[in-house]
Amino acid sequence: MYGIGQLQANYVRMQPSSENQNNMKYKKLAISLLVLASLQACSSWIYRIDIPQGNYLDQKDVDKLRIEMSKEQVVYILGQPVVNDPFNQDKWYYVYTMKRGMSDEHIRKELIIYFDAGKISKVEGDFTLAETFNTPLDQ
């Protein structure tokens, strides 16, 4: 059998020294920092998709617009508007936004079409109107 003295001696030998404890702490800290740094580096490698929303309009389509066109003709050329003003049915909004996934670039284009008696009366927005815009189709 073991005496109390032998048990205490065996217990002391089983305990890691303070130097070993400090080394273990530093190893754990180094591993934690290494894992954290590698995860941070991976975040820049994640591919982020571009997010387009709304009506994408080409300048060539906007160039087809003419004063006094009907709503049906506008829908045929540009498609349905993204936003219909519920308080003013004679004002249509064509809005396009693009958020680039890999950069902080945001693109926003809009075209606002005003109607009077169901015919185009005015067009505003980020597109230039063709020289022929003020010439009605009837002429």
Side-chain angles (χ1 to χ4, degrees):
M1 296 297 290
Y2 290 108
I4 293 180
Q6 287 177 331
L7 286 174
Q8 286 177 342
N10 284 338
Y11 179 75
V12 168
R13 271 186 262 140
M14 291 172 59
Q15 292 290 323
S17 68
S18 64
E19 184 178 310
N20 285 341
Q21 285 180 343
N22 285 338
N23 284 342
M24 288 298 289
K25 286 181 184 177
Y26 288 125
K27 285 181 184 178
K28 287 180 181 178
L29 179 64
I31 290 171
S32 299
L33 290 175
L34 184 63
V35 168
L36 183 65
S38 65
L39 289 175
Q40 183 67 21
C42 289
S43 69
S44 64
W45 289 91
I46 296 173
Y47 178 75
R48 293 178 181 93
I49 62 170
D50 294 341
I51 303 172
Q53 293 181 326
N55 294 89
Y56 177 77
L57 300 177
D58 279 330
Q59 182 65 49
K60 66 179 183 170
D61 292 330
V62 175
D63 290 344
K64 295 176 186 176
L65 294 177
R66 300 281 179 92
I67 196 87
E68 297 182 5
M69 271 188 161
S70 69
K71 290 182 178 183
E72 293 81 17
Q73 290 171 316
V74 173
V75 169
Y76 181 76
I77 294 171
L78 302 179
Q80 289 289 334
V82 169
V83 180
N84 283 326
D85 188 344
F87 302 107
N88 184 359
Q89 296 296 319
D90 290 332
K91 188 176 183 181
W92 287 5
Y93 295 89
Y94 289 87
V95 181
Y96 176 76
T97 60
M98 167 76 84
K99 182 185 181 310
R100 297 284 183 189
M102 298 303 286
S103 70
D104 291 333
E105 179 184 8
H106 296 293
I107 299 169
R108 179 181 169 89
K109 290 197 167 208
E110 65 180 38
L111 184 72
I112 304 169
I113 302 177
Y114 298 88
F115 294 93
D116 185 25
K119 306 275 185 186
I120 293 179
S121 61
K122 180 171 79 168
V123 176
E124 296 177 343
D126 298 320
F127 295 90
T128 56
L129 297 175
E131 293 176 10
T132 57
F133 174 76
N134 289 315
T135 306
L137 288 177
D138 297 343
Q139 293 180 354

